[in-house]
Amino acid sequence: MKKAIIYVFTGTGNTRRAADFIAQALSGFQIDAAVWEARVPLNTAPDPNGFDCALFGYPIHAFNTPRFFLQFVKTLPSVRRLPAFIFRTSGEPFGANSASSRSLVRILRKKGFIPMLDRQLLMPYNIVFRYNDALAKQMYLHTRDMALVIAYRIAAGKKQALRYAPWAVLLTYLFRLQWLGAWINGPLIHADKGSCIGCGHCAAMCPLQNIRLTGGYPCFSHRCAMCMGCAFRCPKDAVRLGLLDGWRVNGEYPFEKLAADDGVPPTYIDENTAGYFRLFRPYYERTYREIAAVKTELAKAAPAAAGRRTEAPR
Ligand SMILES: Cc1cc2nc3c(=O)[nH]c(=O)nc-3n(C[C@H](O)[C@H](O)[C@H](O)COP(=O)(O)O)c2cc1C
Ligand code: SF4
Ligand code: SF4
């Protein structure tokens, strides 16, 4: 059995869920995948040299790979031509997100990896506004199916041409202003003393260890990735996000519950969708076709593989 390592950065759990789905799907292709979450301290990361391939998953932040994840990848030891596969989650499917992996790809190449694939998966926003239940359910189920597609492509080992449009690359550089913004806004984040219960959950989950409890209340510093984890997961919705507080989203998406709830429709975006989410239709139409094609290929291959298994002992 081959071995894969999945390095993932996640603020509010979406990309972690995608990583877990991919790990699960890879096992169906005889690839044993371990998931490792990038958080401080970084020196506990498994050495990629002990694996047959490596995966890198991150949430798109302001059209970019989060700076913290790039810094983490730079700390990895060099490898000799190890295949690398990228997946990234984002709230929208627009072209502005399309070059978000460009710097990551460059760093990976310098380290000796061979970037083979870069796929975008839609998951609900953890900032600006909350997606409704039906859309959250559709995104979750779709990401689960796309994990199968990604695993299938990884097992096939075919290299995707990774090209990024110059205008989208330029946009990524312009929006890196967000990195400075996160540093400035970090200490402006605070807990509302009227609602904070001092449970320390925010401090325990912050992937950058940017929060410490002082006098029973969390105190935030500059080393913030704007991952939104603290505000999203606070049980009392007590985190105030400084300059970004108007974009605060609080409370986990209950994906597993939604998936099991027949009262919530499994699709929100379809050919009849109007308004803003109409713009999501091309992404879903294209990827649902891809999912169907991969499932057909696998169904065709299954009897042949079963036949080989029954013939083998003779
Ligand atoms: C600071 C910040 C910036 C974001 N920027 C984008 C963006 O440029 N494009 C996009 O589609 N989604 C954007 N999002 C949404 C996230 O990419 C999306 O919700 C992602 O699935 C979150 O993953 P996580 O739960 O693993 O952190 C942004 C989220 C945050 C917190
Ligand atoms: S998670 Fe919320 S309630 Fe708990 S310490 Fe942090 S801000 Fe306070
Ligand atoms: S302080 Fe909050 S937003 Fe900043 S990195 Fe930590 S958990 Fe994420």
Side-chain angles (χ1 to χ4, degrees), residues 85-96:
F85 304 89
I86 299 169
F87 60 97
R88 51 209 165 100
T89 68
S90 70
E92 335 119 4
F94 306 137

Side-chain angles (χ1 to χ4, degrees), residues 29-255:
F29 295 91
Q30 310 307 315
I31 301 174
D32 183 20
V35 180
W36 188 83
E37 251 184 58
R39 40 186 303 123
V40 173
L42 294 175
N43 58 8
T44 59
D47 184 338
N49 287 295
F51 298 86
D52 299 296
C53 67
L55 282 73
F56 296 84
Y58 67 88
I60 296 179
H61 282 179
F63 312 132
N64 277 283
T65 304
R67 186 184 191 195
F68 172 68
F69 195 58
L70 294 177
Q71 287 168 338
F72 155 66
V73 175
K74 284 183 188 164
T75 68
L76 287 175
S78 293
V79 296
R80 261 181 67 82
R81 301 183 60 73
L82 193 71
F85 304 89
I86 299 169
F87 60 97
R88 51 209 165 100
T89 68
S90 70
E92 335 119 4
F94 306 137
N97 286 321
S98 62
S100 65
S101 298
R102 206 254 196 165
S103 294
L104 175 61
V105 164
R106 288 185 145 194
I107 294 168
L108 289 173
R109 284 196 178 122
K110 274 193 196 150
K111 289 263 164 199
F113 289 94
I114 308 175
M116 305 280 286
L117 177 104
D118 179 12
R119 296 304 303 255
Q120 186 178 352
L121 302 166
L122 291 198
M123 286 294 274
Y125 264 173
N126 55 359
I127 187 170
V128 186
F129 66 95
R130 195 177 181 81
Y131 283 3
N132 67 50
D133 282 356
L135 182 52
K137 177 171 177 171
Q138 178 173 16
M139 290 181 155
Y140 175 76
L141 296 176
H142 176 267
T143 290
R144 191 185 63 191
D145 282 348
M146 282 303 291
L148 179 70
V149 171
I150 290 173
Y152 175 77
R153 306 254 178 259
I154 291 173
K158 206 167 156 237
K159 196 167 177 301
Q160 174 197 341
L162 300 180
R163 285 192 211 96
Y164 302 106
W167 69 267
V169 173
L170 180 65
L171 206 66
T172 66
Y173 282 106
L174 293 176
F175 275 80
R176 282 183 191 181
L177 207 56
Q178 185 246 357
W179 295 354
L180 175 65
W183 187 84
I184 293 170
N185 192 59
L188 302 179
I189 305 178
H190 62 278
D192 169 39
K193 293 194 173 164
S195 31
C196 175
I197 51 170
C199 65
H201 187 52
C202 50
M205 64 73 47
C206 175
L208 276 80
Q209 291 191 4
N210 186 48
I211 310 171
R212 64 197 151 75
L213 285 190
T214 315
Y217 293 107
C219 182
F220 299 74
S221 189
H222 284 290
R223 198 168 58 178
C224 174
M226 270 197 204
C227 76
M228 299 295 142
C230 51
F232 194 77
R233 290 186 162 137
C234 170
K236 295 291 173 190
D237 192 12
V239 175
R240 299 292 171 263
L241 283 170
L243 301 171
L244 292 182
D245 202 46
W247 286 356
R248 186 174 84 248
V249 174
N250 176 257
E252 303 261 358
Y253 288 98
F255 291 118

Side-chain angles (χ1 to χ4, degrees), residues 232-294:
F232 194 77
R233 290 186 162 137
C234 170
K236 295 291 173 190
D237 192 12
V239 175
R240 299 292 171 263
L241 283 170
L243 301 171
L244 292 182
D245 202 46
W247 286 356
R248 186 174 84 248
V249 174
N250 176 257
E252 303 261 358
Y253 288 98
F255 291 118
E256 289 77 13
K257 210 167 132 236
L258 293 174
D261 185 347
D262 293 337
V264 181
T267 46
Y268 178 76
I269 293 168
D270 60 21
E271 64 278 11
N272 302 315
T273 308
Y276 169 70
F277 287 112
R278 185 173 175 279
L279 302 172
F280 288 41
R281 276 166 41 185
Y283 170 84
Y284 278 109
E285 283 161 10
R286 192 178 65 249
T287 49
Y288 279 133
R289 274 200 303 275
E290 188 181 5
I291 290 165
V294 165

